[in-house]
Each structure stands twice: as C-alpha cells, then as structure tokens.
Amino acid sequence: MDALTLDPDGWTEAGERLLRSAIELRRAIHAEPELGLDLPKTTAKVKAALADLPLEIREGPSTSGLVAVLRGPDNGRTVLLRGDMDALPLTEETGLAFASQVAGAMHACGHDTHVAMLAGAARALCERRDRLTGSVLFMFQPGEEGWHGARFMIEDGLLDPMPDAAFALHINPNMPSGVIGGRPGPLLASSDKLRIRVKGAGGHASMPQDAIDPIPIACEIVMALQSMITRRVAVSDPAVITVARMEAGTTDNVIPEFARLWGTVRTLSERTRLAVHDNIQRVATHIAEAHGAEATVTIERGFPVTVNDARVAELARQTARRLFGENGWISMAHPVMGAEDFSYVLQKTPGAMAFLGGTPEGGDYRTCCALHSNRMVIDETVMARGIAMHCAMAEAMLGPDLEL
C-alpha cells in the first residue's frame, strides 16, 4: 500500500462536498445536547439525516442508539464505523451563535462532530454502494460519557454478527488541525471509580485525643496512594490515581465520625488494573487500622483499556497518508490516560480508534481549550477530512490488504 497515490478514490472530494450538510447537522445537535443513554432529539436528527438512504435501521431496548446497515453487492466482510452522540453535564460558555440551549448540558467532547461525520460518511458510501465488497455498520451510540452505551448496544445484539473490523474517530482540539493521530496497542486507559469511607470516632475538636479523627487518616491515605503508584507500579505499564473529592464534617468544632474520598483509577493493562485495585485495598485498610479506624474501599469498574489492533492501526496510518499526504498522520508516542467505551467494541473485534486534530482557526493546539472544557470550540472544516477518513477506512477494511 506504500505505493498508493494520494487519494485515488476521491474520498477527500466527497468529504468537501458534504461538509456544509455536516456543519448544519453538527450545529443542530450542538444546540440541543442530551445526556446519557436516551437521546430522543439527537436520534431523531440522525434518522432524518439518513432517511433517504438505502440503509437498514436496527434499534434496541436499552438505549436510543441505532445501527444503520449498508449492504454492498458483494456478500463479503462486515465492518463498523462508530460515532458517539451524548453530551456532558456542563454549562457552555463559548459564545457561539449555535451554543447549547439546554442549561447544564454541552457538547464539550466533540460528539456532535462525530455524529455529523458519520452521517456524512454514510451518505458518501451509499453513493458508491456498488463498489463495496461487503457491508458497513454505522453505529450511532449514546451514553459514552460514563454510561457504557457501547456495551448496552452490544448486549442488545445490535452488532450481531460482530463485524470483522471496526474504526472510530475522535476530534481533538489539542492536535494540529486536520491531522490524524493514532498508535497500535493501548491508546486510552481503563477508567474505574474509587470510593473510600474512613470510619473513626467523633468528638470535640478541642480534645482529639478522645476521638479518632478520620480526616488526617483520609489525608494520609491520599498521600500513600500516590506513593504506592510510584513505588509499586512500573513506569512501562503506568497507572494514575486521582482523588478528586474529599468530604468530612459539618462544622469547625466537631471531629466527625466519617471522612469520604472519591477518585478515579486509570491503567493501560488489565494486569496493572487488578494489581492497583489490590494495592488500594491494602493501603487504605491498613492505614486506617494503624490509627484504630476502619476503611471501606469500593471500586466500580468502568471502561476497559482501549487497545488498537496493530493491523487496523497500520491501515489507518497508511490510509491517512494516502488521503492527506505524508503530514496527514502523526504516530502517537504514548497512550492517553483518558478512557473510551469504544473499548467494548475493540474487545470483540479487531479495530482502531484515531484522533482528528481540530484546533480552532487562529488558535494554538498546545494552549487552546481542551476536551471537556465549557469553552471548547473546534475547527468545523476538519469534518471534511473525518468523512473522507471514515469512507476510506471502510473501503480499506473491506479490501484484501487487511489480513485478519
């Protein structure tokens, strides 16, 4: 594939041609963001965008997500393209003319662009249906922001039989605009919720010797967890523990009975994930016992590690360079410790996720507002490249160059 010339199939032209409609769809979704697994307005917009296309629509009982199926004339492989649809619980402060009209909800992670690019790709691929050597599943998925939407859609059977390969794009304002970036192996971390309750013995704040103060014990646990990460976890297979919330007490002159900690645990392998969970339990309970207190640790398992299949990741690299030239691809040196529920799909079938740079015009990708910021804006014109990349990857994954 190294000898392929720059975009011989015209997918970049198709992306540019469909950009205007993609921007319109993205802005309509952005103005009416929805949270969680049930996104009736967003799903209705997606269905309207696909209504005139030769697609079979699958829906399930657990979410408002849908899978649109395009069957090519050759009954060969089936491949999947995915776009997530849900927003974040933030109050938007971008000042955009199409800013969120819903208090406390905003598309601050770019899922509105993911939907628009996927809908554009569906239209472009339908236009060239006769040249496909298999079928394409377009997965419009709710509930990515911690709701396990991909897992529910899989459990509902919407992807059955599982596709032979899968691909997804994620917009990123902190990458040069229009550049695709990815890597083989771990791309994003697992994400687990950590809860620790420290039970001491309450008393008068002037007489701590007659109480068991849970607050310094909880503080000691926080610091010990950081030391545990640096001393017990190899830097070659890293982990992150962040305690982001601490709660104790009701006033200034009472030692409370309880202190509570909330945090997140991120790892890049299942082996390290399990080891870190065990070490958290050991550190917290033993520190509490040393002070005559008790600690109860609860870890809620979240998304798995997002692991890119090396073959599909290499195909993505070659495809991006074919479409956009040598500078159209960045090989990421290391994973990102954020998490993604596309990981559930990648547990079931070979696939890859890549990032699409979307630095706003006039911005610096190194300093502009990042994903999950309520001031995040993106360069909408890069969606043309996203449409083209989806289309070219679908065709490439259906072709003979990908040996699965």
Side-chain angles (χ1 to χ4, degrees):
M1 292 186 67
D2 290 338
L4 289 175
T5 57
L6 191 65
D7 191 16
D9 300 315
W11 290 123
T12 53
E13 182 279 330
E16 293 292 343
R17 176 169 49 83
L18 294 167
L19 176 60
R20 181 179 295 276
S21 60
I23 289 175
E24 290 175 356
L25 177 58
R26 182 255 168 164
R27 292 184 177 185
I29 293 171
H30 190 94
E32 293 187 292
E34 297 175 292
L35 308 178
L37 296 169
D38 186 23
L39 317 178
K41 293 181 179 179
T42 306
T43 300
K45 292 180 177 70
V46 170
K47 288 182 177 180
L50 305 179
D52 62 324
L53 300 178
L55 299 168
E56 302 170 18
I57 303 297
R58 299 177 182 173
E59 297 178 88
S62 300
T63 79
S64 64
L66 64 92
V67 173
V69 184
L70 172 61
R71 299 195 185 278
D74 189 329
N75 187 22
R77 287 178 179 166
T78 298
V79 299
L80 178 144
L81 303 174
R82 179 272 213 159
D84 38 2
M85 303 193 295
D86 57 322
L88 283 159
L90 295 174
T91 299
E92 182 166 352
E93 295 184 16
T94 61
L96 294 170
F98 53 91
S100 171
Q101 300 170 9
V102 180
M106 175 193 173
H107 274 287
C109 203
H111 295 184
D112 50 350
T113 67
H114 301 172
V115 175
M117 290 188 294
L118 190 58
R123 182 165 296 277
L125 286 164
C126 283
E127 292 172 351
R128 305 189 189 184
R129 174 180 175 272
D130 59 343
R131 62 186 275 175
L132 296 178
T133 58
S135 299
V136 183
L137 307 182
F138 302 95
M139 181 183 183
F140 293 91
Q141 180 220 304
E144 192 282 324
E145 296 293 350
W147 295 84
H148 304 270
R151 191 189 75 202
F152 283 114
M153 291 183 72
I154 292 170
E155 291 173 352
D156 284 347
L158 297 184
L159 306 187
D160 292 342
M162 289 300 295
D164 297 288
F167 179 71
L169 274 176
H170 200 302
I171 200 81
N172 186 352
N174 299 116
M175 279 176 51
S177 197
V179 173
I180 309 287
R183 68 189 309 275
L187 178 76
L188 291 152
S190 63
S191 175
D192 301 320
K193 293 181 179 180
L194 173 63
R195 306 287 184 265
I196 301 176
R197 188 185 78 152
V198 179
K199 181 179 183 295
H204 199 290
S206 67
M207 295 175 280
Q209 71 279 3
D210 296 328
I212 300 176
D213 190 344
I215 295 176
I217 299 171
C219 292
E220 188 175 333
I221 290 171
V222 172
M223 298 309 296
L225 291 177
Q226 307 311 309
S227 297
M228 179 270 286
I229 289 294
T230 64
R231 300 295 91 185
R232 301 294 299 166
V233 179
V235 295
S236 58
D237 189 7
V240 170
I241 297 177
T242 295
V243 176
R245 179 183 173 192
M246 184 174 185
E247 182 180 279
T250 56
T251 187
D252 58 86
N253 64 347
V254 175
I255 292 174
E257 184 177 7
F258 296 101
R260 294 176 174 84
L261 305 173
W262 288 261
T264 185
V265 182
R266 309 294 176 108
T267 65
L268 292 174
S269 74
E270 191 63 23
R271 180 181 64 180
T272 294
R273 188 183 195 182
L274 294 175
V276 168
H277 289 184
D278 289 343
N279 284 327
I280 291 171
Q281 181 76 33
R282 185 178 303 110
V283 166
T285 56
H286 288 184
I287 287 176
E289 289 172 2
H291 293 282
E294 300 175 6
T296 302
V297 177
T298 303
I299 299 175
E300 180 183 329
R301 289 174 67 90
F303 300 161
V305 181
T306 302
V307 181
N308 281 348
D309 180 88
R311 297 161 297 180
V312 183
E314 173 60 17
L315 189 66
R317 182 188 72 84
Q318 295 179 7
T319 300
R321 293 175 68 182
R322 185 181 82 234
L323 291 175
F324 313 123
E326 293 293 319
N327 296 324
W329 173 268
I330 294 175
S331 292
M332 297 169 58
H334 52 77
V336 177
M337 297 307 285
E340 244 290 346
D341 81 344
F342 190 58
S343 54
Y344 290 118
V345 175
L346 297 182
Q347 285 185 325
K348 301 289 186 179
T349 193
M353 169 174 275
F355 291 101
L356 170 61
T359 308
E361 184 177 359
D364 185 336
Y365 72 89
R366 291 160 293 196
T367 58
C368 67
C369 291
L371 297 171
H372 290 215
S373 165
N374 65 347
R375 299 179 185 274
M376 188 205 80
V377 294
I378 58 101
D379 176 5
E380 292 177 309
T381 66
V382 303
M383 289 193 293
R385 288 197 167 194
I387 293 169
M389 186 68 180
H390 273 310
C391 293
M393 278 299 292
E395 191 170 52
M397 289 188 297
L398 288 172
D401 290 315
L402 181 60
E403 297 182 2
L404 297 172

